[in-house]
Structures are given as C-alpha cells and as structure tokens.
Amino acid sequence: MLTFLALAAVAFLGIVPQQSQSIVIYTGWERHALVGSDVRLSCSFFSWRWTSDDVTFSWTYRPDGSRDSISIFHYTGGAAYLDNKGPFRDRVEFVGNPGRRDGSIVLKNLDFNDNGTFTCDAKNPPDIVGRPSSVRLLVFETVPIQAGVITGAIIGVVLGLLVLIVVIYYLMRFLVARRVFNLSVSKHGKKKKEGSQQRQLWTPPPLTCYPLP
Amino acid sequence: MLILAGIVLLHITTIILLLVATLDNAWWMTDKLSTDVWGRWVLQGNDWHYKELNLADYPEEYLQVVQATSVLACIFAILALFVFVAQLFTLGKGQRFTFSGILQMLSCLCIMIAASVYTSEFKFRQEGGFGHSYVLAWISFILTFILAVTYIVLRKKSD
C-alpha cells in the first residue's frame, strides 16, 4: 500500500512539471514617464530549465490605437540587435543581463508619440512555450499622483496624530502621578515626626474590646 | 437604563448611516448614473455596470479629501462607541464621558468636511440630483453632533 502511494506520488510529480514546464515572462503592468526622460522597461522570465546559451529576448511595440506591432529589439546568439529603422531608432539601449534572465531595455528621450504597449517575448530553448508579457507606457507632461495616495496619506496622518495625542496624554498622566507619589512618600516621612503633635486634635474613637467569652 | 439603551441605539444607527454614506456610490444620481465617491454605476440597456472614476473629470484632488474624511468619520464613530462602552465600566461616579465625546465630535467634523468639500467643489451637471448617500452624510453630521454634545454633557450616575 505504501509503495503504491509512493509510486503514485512520484508519477504525479513527474507529470505535473511537464505540463507546467512553460516559460513565464514578467514585465511591469504600466510605466509612467515624463516627456523627454528615459524609461527602463524590465523583462525577466522564470523557467524550469537552466539558462541556455541560445536564450532570446525580443521586444515589440504597438502604438496606442493601432493594431500593428513593430519589432524594436532582439537579442539572440549572445548579441543584441537594436531598432535602426523604426520609431525608436537610436533610442533603444540594452541594459539587461541574459545570463541572469534579465532582458530589460531603456528607451531614451520619450515623446508623446511613444505611448503604447511594449511586449517582451523570451525563449529559453528547449523551454519555448510561453505567453509574452506586455507593459503599457504612458508619457506625461507632469507625473500625476495615483488615485489612492492622497486618501491614504490623509487617513494615516490623522490616525497617527490621534494615537500620538492619546499616548502623550497617558504618559503625562503617568509621569505626574508618579511624581505626586514620590513627593507624597517623602512628605509622609517628614510628617510622621510633626504629625504626632497635631494628632492630639483628633482623638481616636474609643476601642472597646469585649473579652472573649 | 432606558436612556442608555437609547443612546447606544442612536450611536449604532449613526454608524450604519455613516457607513452607507461612505460605501454606497450614490452621492450624485441621475436616471442612468449613480456616482461618487469610489466608483460609478452606469445603466447600459437593462444592466448596471460598474466603472472606475476617470480622475480627469475631477481635476483637483478634492475627491480624495472627501474619500479620506468620510472614512475617518466612520472610524471615529466606531471608536467612540467602543470607548463609550468601555468608559461605562471604568469611569468614576459623576464623571463625564469626555473621550467618547471628543471622538464623536471629530467624527462630526470629518463628515462635515467631506460633505462640504463635495458640495463646494462639485461641478453641477444639468440633470439629476444629489443621491441618498449625500443626504445620509448630512443627516449623520447632525446625529453625530447631537451625540457628541450628549456625551460631553452626560455624567455617570452614582448608583
């Protein structure tokens, strides 16, 4: 029974990686950049195989509103080939490290016409089945603040102030109470000598002790 | 005893109203639209579709102030309820519920800021009117104010 289970487990483990043995490519989701600046588009992949010498990266660009893609970068056989005819001629630079599965590129001197979707496709032979991943580039004149940042900042600051005020209040109360306690202890020591004369003003009530039967 | 139950019930009602005002996207409504402060419901055909707010329609950042202050109002109201219940057991006789009163007053202030900023910065469109969330925000402003004054004035009975 136990051997059967062990064999089934090994067989299962043997089957599963083969089905999931596809390459997984990671890029960002969106990149925001200012006009005239440079932006780095990162691309890396996960593969069950070792990084082969024939690893390839290729980037394609599809402008906003267009259905055609144009290839702007290709890395193969240990050499990087940059766009020399298209919209990004002389504006692409390869900054990746294929040995470390990094196929990032830098786009320089951005313009509003560069808004669009950039797709990275990486292949790690023999692991070639995978989905290319896309990152959207948005070029702004001024970088806008993201939707939830101000909301979160206001809430955080106000709650933080409230916690701070409560903590300070209780701390002050604690310190004042401790000082009052210390003072009263030292005064109690002095009062014992003087108090014995003053106590005659207040006669203690008579304690009548009834003898025990 | 009855007064106490009444106050707690009123406080819970206020919290519920605040939560509805904050979470339900109905500060401005038309026949086909129910919008603000987190998203927008649009009637297309026979179905309501939820769309994200296009922040370009709200040029200044006032919408985020409305979001933040309405959330803060809810938080302070809930905190005030817990502090009130705790103070019922821990306060000395004859003392006032100041801490819960202060928290409730903060909640009142926040929801007032939210509703006022929304009213003043909102570019009025031609059709439609203010939705139920907006009305509830103002109603909770009144209720939180009454509760805050009540807590500050109320003294714990020496019983």
Side-chain angles (χ1 to χ4, degrees):
Chain A
M1 182 62 186
L2 219 60
T3 45
F4 173 69
L5 279 175
L7 279 173
V10 169
F12 184 67
L13 282 173
I15 291 173
V16 166
Q18 287 209 347
Q19 282 180 339
S20 67
Q21 210 178 49
S22 58
I23 192 170
V24 183
I25 302 176
Y26 302 105
T27 60
W29 184 253
E30 249 182 24
R31 287 282 175 267
H32 299 206
L34 290 173
V35 180
S37 71
D38 303 342
V39 69
R40 180 197 170 107
L41 302 177
S42 63
C43 176
S44 70
F45 65 87
F46 174 77
S47 163
W48 289 100
R49 303 264 181 196
W50 296 111
T51 312
S52 94
D53 293 328
D54 300 325
V55 66
T56 64
F57 288 96
S58 60
W59 281 93
T60 53
Y61 166 63
R62 181 168 61 85
D64 263 351
S66 161
R67 295 176 82 173
D68 302 320
S69 300
I70 182 170
S71 184
I72 61 166
F73 173 80
H74 193 66
Y75 176 91
T76 182
Y81 300 91
L82 312 170
D83 183 8
N84 54 4
K85 289 193 175 72
F88 289 96
R89 116 183 98 246
D90 301 330
R91 291 203 284 147
V92 186
E93 189 188 328
F94 181 56
V95 295
N97 190 344
R100 293 195 180 206
R101 302 184 170 185
D102 179 16
S104 310
I105 58 171
V106 163
L107 301 176
K108 302 205 180 101
N109 200 10
L110 290 169
D111 188 45
F112 289 117
N113 296 328
D114 297 332
N115 273 302
T117 311
F118 292 81
T119 309
C120 175
D121 191 12
K123 298 201 188 310
N124 183 26
D127 203 357
I128 56 150
V129 179
R131 283 209 179 90
S133 171
S134 306
V135 55
R136 240 190 117 210
L137 179 66
L138 295 161
V139 182
F140 295 100
E141 219 165 85
T142 51
V143 180
I145 301 184
Q146 283 188 307
V149 168
I150 298 183
T151 312
I154 296 177
I155 295 179
V157 164
V158 173
L159 285 180
L161 277 176
L162 183 75
V163 167
L164 198 69
I165 290 174
V166 167
V167 162
I168 290 180
Y169 173 72
Y170 277 109
L171 201 69
M172 298 302 293
R173 241 172 58 160
F174 173 70
L175 287 175
V176 167
R178 214 168 67 159
R179 192 192 286 187
V180 167
F181 178 70
N182 283 338
L183 279 175
S184 73
V185 162
S186 59
K187 270 194 187 160
H188 202 69
K190 288 183 198 167
K191 267 196 179 154
K192 263 192 183 166
K193 298 171 194 170
E194 302 167 19
S196 52
Q197 297 154 358
Q198 287 179 356
R199 283 233 172 117
Q200 298 307 318
L201 294 168
W202 175 73
T203 49
L207 284 169
T208 44
C209 290
Y210 291 99
L212 291 167
Chain B
M1 199 59 209
L2 213 60
I3 299 178
L4 199 64
I7 289 178
V8 171
L9 204 64
L10 186 65
H11 199 147
I12 294 179
T13 310
T14 310
I15 291 177
I16 294 176
L17 293 184
L18 273 172
L19 284 172
V20 171
T22 307
L23 297 172
D24 194 8
N25 286 306
W27 285 62
W28 179 261
M29 288 174 76
T30 68
D31 294 335
K32 296 203 179 75
L33 183 77
S34 171
T35 184
D36 291 337
V37 291
W38 304 100
R40 182 171 294 192
W41 287 96
V42 180
L43 183 66
Q44 288 172 342
N46 270 333
D47 306 314
W48 286 96
H49 291 267
Y50 183 77
K51 291 193 193 298
E52 298 283 343
L53 290 176
N54 185 7
L55 285 174
D57 288 343
Y58 302 85
E60 295 88 25
E61 268 81 18
Y62 77 92
L63 190 74
Q64 315 206 20
V65 172
V66 175
Q67 287 176 344
T69 42
S70 54
V71 168
L72 278 174
C74 294
I75 292 176
F76 283 137
I78 295 174
L79 274 178
L81 183 66
F82 283 123
V83 167
F84 176 62
V85 170
Q87 282 192 318
L88 275 178
F89 295 110
T90 61
L91 262 191
K93 296 185 175 40
Q95 283 196 308
R96 296 191 150 122
F97 298 89
T98 37
F99 195 25
S100 20
I102 290 174
L103 284 176
Q104 191 74 332
M105 191 58 91
L106 281 173
S107 166
C108 173
L109 188 71
C110 283
I111 192 66
M112 186 191 75
I113 293 176
S116 314
V117 168
Y118 188 78
T119 316
S120 71
E121 293 288 341
F122 180 72
K123 308 284 185 284
F124 291 98
R125 307 191 181 120
Q126 282 80 9
E127 49 170 31
F130 285 112
H132 52 266
S133 297
Y134 180 78
V135 173
L136 284 180
W138 281 113
I139 293 179
S140 10
F141 159 66
I142 297 172
L143 288 178
T144 45
F145 185 71
I146 293 174
L147 276 171
V149 169
T150 308
Y151 287 147
I152 292 178
V153 163
L154 200 69
R155 278 190 200 272
K156 186 163 187 200
K157 260 197 226 167
S158 37
D159 48 10

